Amino acid sequence: RKEVEQDPGPFNVPEGATVAFNCTYSNSASQSFFWYRQDCRKEPKLLMSVYSSGNEDGRFTAQLNRASQYISLLIRDSKLSDSATYLCVVPRGGSYIPTFGRGTSLIVHP
Amino acid sequence: GAVVSQHPSWVICKSGTSVKIECRSLDFQATTMFWYRQFPKQSLMLMATSNEGSKATYEQGVEKDKFLINHASLTLSTLTVTSAHPEDSSFYICSGRNYRDQQETQYFGPGTRLLVL
């Protein structure tokens, strides 16, 4: 299994839809997890941190399943502006060195 | 969130020249900065971890003599691509590690697009 694995998509959804992405990781010692958003030709920007069982911020919910070693990101009521690539970041077990997934592309259409 | 700047934002150079990229944490002290490279439609690949006052730690396959990293202060790290070639053309992004309130976050600079002709 790769260190961090994501379905590259693209996920093509209409405005208002609910969409969820998963990210699996291989190192069970990893403690903290992050979701970043990257727009085309721009730098990644932090969307959410996931430190324990989960985190919610408005329309965005991130959850962690340690037993199955995956984190998820749920976006409710999708907006056109949510179109981007969503990157999962998992520090290497026992360190803070980050490993990025290849990202999941989301396209929200009218 | 915290702010990281990068300079220059883009550079075009001839093959064989050296290019220096600066990464600054503007409102926090970053004892650790990371340098990444991203090719089109690919993920960010970590090149090296830069620790203030010590030598950088390079990822496997990254030539330390080609990609010189200097982290002389808590707010500045530089990456020098020496004798750049067309295959070095890429999007170079730095990030600063911010540890506060028992939480750790990385803040990214806006990136530098390098085109080597």
Side-chain angles (χ1 to χ4, degrees):
Chain A
R1 178 193 261 188
K2 289 184 181 177
E3 283 188 83
V4 182
E5 226 164 336
Q6 291 183 256
D7 181 345
F11 285 62
N12 209 318
V13 302
E15 269 186 290
T18 295
V19 62
F21 316 130
N22 279 347
C23 167
T24 58
Y25 61 94
S26 61
N27 195 319
S28 58
S30 298
Q31 294 295 316
S32 54
F33 308 85
F34 306 88
W35 282 103
Y36 280 78
R37 169 197 169 124
Q38 186 175 26
D39 292 287
C40 189
R41 303 176 70 81
K42 299 278 189 176
E43 78 278 18
K45 292 193 185 297
L46 180 65
L47 184 63
M48 300 184 77
S49 306
V50 189
Y51 284 99
S52 54
S53 60
N55 194 5
E56 185 171 329
D57 183 5
R59 298 182 294 109
F60 298 85
T61 300
Q63 291 196 315
L64 167 63
N65 185 314
R66 287 193 186 277
S68 300
Q69 294 183 208
Y70 74 86
I71 61 171
S72 62
L73 178 67
L74 180 78
I75 305 175
R76 289 179 296 276
D77 189 25
S78 300
K79 312 289 185 192
L80 295 177
S81 57
D82 293 335
S83 298
T85 297
Y86 291 83
L87 302 167
C88 168
V89 180
V90 180
R92 293 174 192 168
S95 80
Y96 54 82
I97 309 295
T99 301
F100 278 78
R102 61 176 296 184
T104 297
S105 175
L106 171 65
I107 301 169
V108 182
H109 58 81
Chain B
V3 180
V4 174
S5 71
Q6 254 182 269
H7 178 80
S9 55
W10 58 271
V11 60
I12 302 174
C13 68
K14 291 181 180 179
S15 187
T17 59
S18 293
V19 177
K20 185 176 182 179
I21 303 170
E22 292 186 349
C23 177
R24 293 182 187 272
S25 55
L26 299 185
D27 54 357
F28 69 101
Q29 292 184 330
T31 53
T32 302
M33 286 183 171
F34 300 100
W35 286 97
Y36 297 86
R37 182 165 53 178
Q38 186 176 35
F39 293 105
K41 298 189 185 299
Q42 294 189 22
S43 185
L44 276 74
M45 297 302 297
L46 181 65
M47 298 176 68
T49 302
S50 169
N51 292 301
E52 185 267 337
S54 64
K55 289 183 180 179
T57 303
Y58 290 81
E59 294 297 299
Q60 193 172 11
V62 178
E63 298 175 57
K64 62 179 182 180
D65 294 328
K66 180 168 180 63
F67 299 99
L68 301 178
I69 291 173
N70 184 286
H71 194 158
S73 78
L74 288 171
T75 59
L76 173 65
S77 175
T78 60
L79 168 69
T80 301
V81 184
T82 61
S83 186
H85 288 91
E87 59 266 29
D88 298 323
S89 299
S90 188
F91 187 40
Y92 291 85
I93 310 176
C94 71
S95 70
R97 178 187 177 220
N98 190 14
Y99 189 78
R100 188 171 60 185
D101 300 328
Q102 297 184 323
Q103 291 196 354
E104 183 162 332
T105 310
Q106 276 192 76
Y107 294 97
F108 286 83
T112 297
R113 295 202 177 276
L114 170 63
L115 177 60
V116 185
L117 302 176

